[in-house]
Amino acid sequence: MELAYYSDYAVRLVNTEEPARNKDTLTSVEAVRELFGANQQAARRTTDADVTRFRSVRARLRAVFEAADGGDETLAVDLLNSLLLEFPVSPQISGHDVRDEDGRPDWHMHLADHPSNATAGYAAIAAMGLAFHLTEHGVDRLGLCEASPCRNAYLDTSTNRSRRYCSDRCATRANVAAYRARKREEAERTGRSAETAQPTTAATDR
């Protein structure tokens, strides 16, 4: 498993809440377990207490994205460092059940999660994954969707650093809204021009 994969843990957790829409899907143990994906062993450690703890970590991860999106690199790094200090990981070389074409283990770096509770484990790998993405690609690659009121988090992996939306759906919605706004402005300008031209026409007729 590549280390870059772990950055998606942070995005998944942050996007369980849409503050502007007053929506929160992180309301049960089952919802928390779904965040772990294929990591069923870690998911099984989840208890009712983890729901509240996950929400706390979510708020801190969103703050990292908000700082990055706002251009405050130092604050984003400081907030992420505080998570890394609180939730340490144990890097390990792994080759479990993955073979190359010669039949040898496909050795890769793996982050062993914290055994104390589900929140600590998830927070550790989410923070470390986000840290790898930040240091590899830059703080400006952490963004929040510009399609109001969405504000979902995303990781920009585009070649020209041009991503502005969390999904194609939000990009389409924003483009349609912008197009309609331009049409309204054009209609208003046309209307104003017509009103300005009317007195001149009337004076000429006389």
Side-chain angles (χ1 to χ4, degrees), residues 83-102:
L83 283 164
L84 292 170
L85 287 172
E86 185 172 345
F87 302 105
V89 295
S90 302
Q92 295 178 350
I93 299 174
S94 178
H96 51 81
D97 301 325
V98 180
R99 302 281 173 173
D100 60 20
E101 23 180 70
D102 294 325

Side-chain angles (χ1 to χ4, degrees), residues 20-64:
R21 291 172 171 156
N22 198 29
K23 291 176 63 177
D24 187 349
T25 60
L26 197 61
T27 57
S28 65
V29 171
E30 289 71 24
V32 172
R33 286 174 178 162
E34 287 179 4
L35 289 170
F36 284 94
N39 195 348
Q40 295 302 313
Q41 182 176 356
R44 282 194 290 270
R45 293 202 301 267
T46 306
T47 66
D48 289 332
D50 285 301
V51 177
T52 300
R53 289 195 291 250
F54 261 71
R55 286 179 173 178
S56 176
V57 172
R58 178 180 65 188
R60 295 171 66 181
L61 286 170
R62 175 170 283 277
V64 175

